[in-house]
């Protein structure tokens, strides 16, 4: 269904939008701050963002990036993190390990799967004792995106 709608969007269509002047003023300020040079591109991006959000909510195949900051001198920590990544290996696309000063490490993972699975991987890693900070960002694979 979504694919069909997006396919029909290939042809560029002009349409009018009615909205309150103060709302438009705020929108213009916002897109100007974000360095957009015209409203059309800003509106296109808003629509794409909305569609990506929907896709994620539908639990479609998605991409995720995970970051973990930890102190590798913590006993068993590195082994535990490796173990979890092996458990979830079908979702882990890549892992990058960066050695920081003072025995700290930054690990960056790219993952592919349903958002539910990527979040489960993140929470398993994040909850390991000694992981000081973590982050997760989900995005669509772009397959259904114009
Ligand atoms: Ni390291």
């Amino acid at each position: 269904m979504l694919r069909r709608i997006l396919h029909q969007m290939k042809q560029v269509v002009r349409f009018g939008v009615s909205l309150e002047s103060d709302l438009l003023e705020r929108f213009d300020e916002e897109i100007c701050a974000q360095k957009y040079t015209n409203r059309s591109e800003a509106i296109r991006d808003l629509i794409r963002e909305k569609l990506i959000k929907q896709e994620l909510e539908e639990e479609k195949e998605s991409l995720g990036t995970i970051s973990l900051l930890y102190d590798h001198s913590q006993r068993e920590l590195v082994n535990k993190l490796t173990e979890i990544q092996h458990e979830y290996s079908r979702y882990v696309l890549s892992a990058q390990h960066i050695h920081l000063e003072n025995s700290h490490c930054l690990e960056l993972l790219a993952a592919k799967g349903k958002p539910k699975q990527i979040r489960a991987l993140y929470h398993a890693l994040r909850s390991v004792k000694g992981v000081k900070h973590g982050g997760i960002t989900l995005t669509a694979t772009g397959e259904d995106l114009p």
Side-chain angles (χ1 to χ4, degrees):
M1 178 64 181
L2 182 63
R3 195 186 295 269
R4 208 179 70 220
I5 293 167
L6 296 175
H7 192 72
Q8 288 166 355
M9 286 168 65
K10 291 282 181 206
Q11 184 187 350
V12 175
V13 178
R14 291 180 67 94
F15 65 98
V17 178
S18 309
L19 71 165
E20 293 77 6
S21 61
D22 55 346
L23 184 60
L24 184 61
E25 218 169 279
R26 270 302 310 274
F27 182 69
D28 283 344
E29 278 171 23
E30 188 56 37
I31 66 174
C32 184
Q34 291 179 25
K35 308 293 177 203
Y36 282 103
T37 52
N38 65 73
R39 285 179 189 147
S40 292
E41 190 52 30
I43 290 168
R44 277 193 286 269
D45 280 356
L46 274 181
I47 294 171
R48 287 188 193 109
E49 262 170 50
K50 177 73 182 161
L51 292 173
I52 287 177
K53 235 183 208 171
Q54 269 174 2
E55 239 181 71
L56 291 175
E57 280 161 13
E58 283 167 20
E59 301 271 298
K60 274 193 181 178
E61 184 94 327
S62 304
L63 296 170
T65 55
I66 292 171
S67 66
L68 302 164
L69 179 74
Y70 58 88
D71 183 343
H72 81 251
S73 63
Q74 277 264 339
R75 234 173 135 243
E76 283 300 303
L77 173 62
V78 178
N79 283 346
K80 188 81 191 130
L81 293 178
T82 305
E83 214 172 89
I84 293 166
Q85 288 183 50
H86 277 267
E87 246 172 70
Y88 287 83
S89 60
R90 55 184 293 208
Y91 307 117
V92 179
L93 297 174
S94 75
Q96 186 177 21
H97 185 104
I98 298 153
H99 306 297
L100 305 169
E101 288 160 39
N102 305 322
S103 76
H104 280 73
C105 303
L106 176 67
E107 200 141 312
L108 304 171
L109 305 180
K112 190 177 184 180
K114 291 181 179 173
K116 200 166 45 177
Q117 295 155 338
I118 298 171
R119 282 195 198 101
L121 165 64
Y122 170 68
H123 291 304
L125 294 165
R126 179 66 183 90
S127 61
V128 174
K129 195 179 169 215
V131 176
K132 293 185 173 175
H133 191 253
I136 179 172
T137 308
L138 289 167
T139 187
T141 58
E143 216 174 290
D144 289 335
L145 222 56

